[in-house]
Each structure stands twice: as C-alpha cells, then as structure tokens.
Amino acid sequence: MVKSKVRFDGLDVAAMVAHWNRTALGRRIINIYNGPNGDTYLFKLDKLQSKSETSNLLLLLESGIRFHSTQQEFENPGMPSPFCSKLRKHLRGLRLEQVQQLGNQDRVVMLVVGSGEAQRHSLILELYA
C-alpha cells in the first residue's frame, strides 16, 4: 500500500520549486481563491501563449504543509476571506517572475510576482507545522 506524502521536507520543496520554475514562470495570475480550509489558497494562472495548452494552471498553497500544481477544477467557495481579498488586490493580473527556496534545505519558499519597483511583490510560504 502506497501512502501519499502529507508534509514536504527540504528535498520535496527543492523539487517542486524546480517544477514551478519550468511550468509556471511568466504566467499571469487570473484570480486567487480560498481552498477547502482556512490555510489553503488556489492561484489560477493563465495559459502560456507559446505552448499548446488546453487549460489554465492552478497552484495550490497549503500553509505549513505543502504546495503543488494541479489542473483539477475546484468549485468557488464563495466570498473570499479578508486575506484572500488582500492577495487579489495586490497580485491579480501580475506575472509570476520567480520561485525560490530560501536556504539550501529549508522549507521556506519565496514567490516573486510582478516586475519593476512599483509592482513587485514577494509572497513567503513557510512549510512548518
């Protein structure tokens, strides 16, 4: 019996950062949604024009646990939380410019969105219990 991994370690973070740098960089954030619980957020990214893709990319961030990409559709939970509204206000419409693991074996990820000083934002995701 194979169990799915619940929490990421430093090696998992490094692998997912490399994957996101290949598949998600340069995509524009269409919208941000609350996930099924209070610590989960879904970032809906547009299709890349240079590739023949059939759907948008969803980035799932579970604070303190893991992050990954998916193409599975989720139903909109309705009214966004105050933090989700704040993320929408500052990040919607900007491009994902950089995904970086902070520290060599650390479980901290920095997402850089937007370019230029006026529109550049960093989002820090900590994967600690």
Side-chain angles (χ1 to χ4, degrees), residues 7 63-65 107 126-129:
R7 296 194 182 275
S63 180
I65 301 173
R107 293 179 292 162
E126 292 183 348
L127 302 172
Y128 297 109

Side-chain angles (χ1 to χ4, degrees), residues 63-83:
S63 180
I65 301 173
R66 64 184 163 209
F67 64 106
H68 55 90
S69 57
T70 182
Q71 291 190 347
Q72 177 183 354
E73 289 296 323
F74 290 90
E75 65 180 62
N76 189 347
M79 193 70 165
S81 67
F83 184 67

Side-chain angles (χ1 to χ4, degrees), residues 6-118:
V6 176
R7 296 194 182 275
F8 275 16
D9 60 19
L11 190 57
D12 296 319
V13 171
M16 192 55 65
V17 165
H19 174 70
W20 277 17
N21 278 321
R22 283 190 315 271
T23 60
L25 288 189
R27 294 177 186 245
R28 193 172 300 279
I29 297 174
I30 296 173
N31 211 347
I32 302 169
Y33 304 99
N34 289 103
N37 62 34
D39 292 333
T40 305
Y41 298 94
L42 291 159
F43 284 63
K44 185 175 183 180
L45 304 180
D46 68 354
K47 301 174 207 166
L48 283 174
Q49 300 299 328
S50 62
K51 296 183 179 177
S52 59
E53 296 177 355
T54 58
S55 63
N56 296 323
L57 182 66
L58 288 175
L59 302 181
L60 182 71
L61 283 70
E62 296 180 70
S63 180
I65 301 173
R66 64 184 163 209
F67 64 106
H68 55 90
S69 57
T70 182
Q71 291 190 347
Q72 177 183 354
E73 289 296 323
F74 290 90
E75 65 180 62
N76 189 347
M79 193 70 165
S81 67
F83 184 67
C84 186
S85 295
K86 188 82 165 170
L87 288 173
R88 285 180 179 185
K89 176 182 175 185
H90 293 287
L91 304 181
R92 192 171 12 192
L94 299 178
R95 292 192 187 280
L96 182 62
E97 298 292 336
Q98 182 181 15
V99 180
Q100 176 182 350
Q101 181 179 12
L102 300 180
N104 194 16
Q105 289 296 318
D106 209 357
R107 293 179 292 162
V108 179
V109 178
M110 180 174 67
L111 305 170
V112 178
V113 179
S115 59
E117 271 190 48

